[in-house]
Amino acid sequence: MSTAATAIENLLSRSRSGKPSPQKERRLAKRHRVDIPAKFKIYLPSQPEQSSTEISAQVIDLSRTGIGLLADSVENGGLHIMHPWAATSEQCLLEIQVLCGKTPLTLQGRAAWYSQHEDEKPFRFRIGIELSDLTVQLKERIRELIDLKPD
């Protein structure tokens, strides 16, 4: 069997097994497991004052460039974390409040992906968020959270 045929057969056998083929890791920084309550709002960059109501969430991983959330919803008030707003085709952004210590950590970002869990408890959706507009102070607070995580 030729090399190309072998490669195709391997690909097809993986597809038939029902297991997804491994994808290239796209994260820019190592994620660290955490367990911190959070909440977020969805908003349009052109209309930040008209955001959704707060959505409860749980931070499950954190890095210097991204955050992983569990949440019960990915849309609220006509805004969806991934789908552009129908009226302007504008991509929504997220304002995330990580509820840690006396002062919550407020981060901005965009949803890079999300998936729905079959088991809806305690949260239905897992969301990967790429952080943006990180100041030196925000980067330091993220580093502190990562350093405080239990091993």
Side-chain angles (χ1 to χ4, degrees), residues 73-135:
S73 181
V74 292
E75 60 185 316
N76 188 292
L79 300 174
H80 191 282
I81 64 168
M82 293 284 291
H83 304 152
W85 193 48
T88 64
S89 298
E90 190 174 12
Q91 179 69 43
C92 290
L93 296 176
L94 304 175
E95 177 185 275
I96 306 112
Q97 293 249 330
V98 180
L99 306 175
C100 55
K102 293 180 182 178
T103 307
L105 174 61
T106 302
L107 303 168
Q108 309 290 326
R110 68 167 193 83
W113 60 269
Y114 77 97
S115 62
Q116 185 170 356
H117 292 261
E118 291 179 21
D119 180 17
E120 296 183 7
K121 294 180 183 180
F123 295 102
R124 291 177 47 206
F125 297 96
R126 182 169 180 177
I127 307 165
I129 299 165
E130 179 183 2
L131 298 174
S132 58
D133 301 326
L134 290 173
T135 64

Side-chain angles (χ1 to χ4, degrees), residues 34-41 54-62 67-72 95-100 104-107 123 129 145:
V34 295
D35 187 18
I36 306 169
K39 56 189 175 182
F40 68 93
K41 292 181 181 181
E54 290 180 341
I55 300 168
S56 294
Q58 191 74 18
V59 179
I60 59 168
D61 59 49
L62 183 63
I67 188 169
L69 292 180
L70 295 177
D72 281 328
E95 177 185 275
I96 306 112
Q97 293 249 330
V98 180
L99 306 175
C100 55
L105 174 61
T106 302
L107 303 168
F123 295 102
I129 299 165
L145 278 176

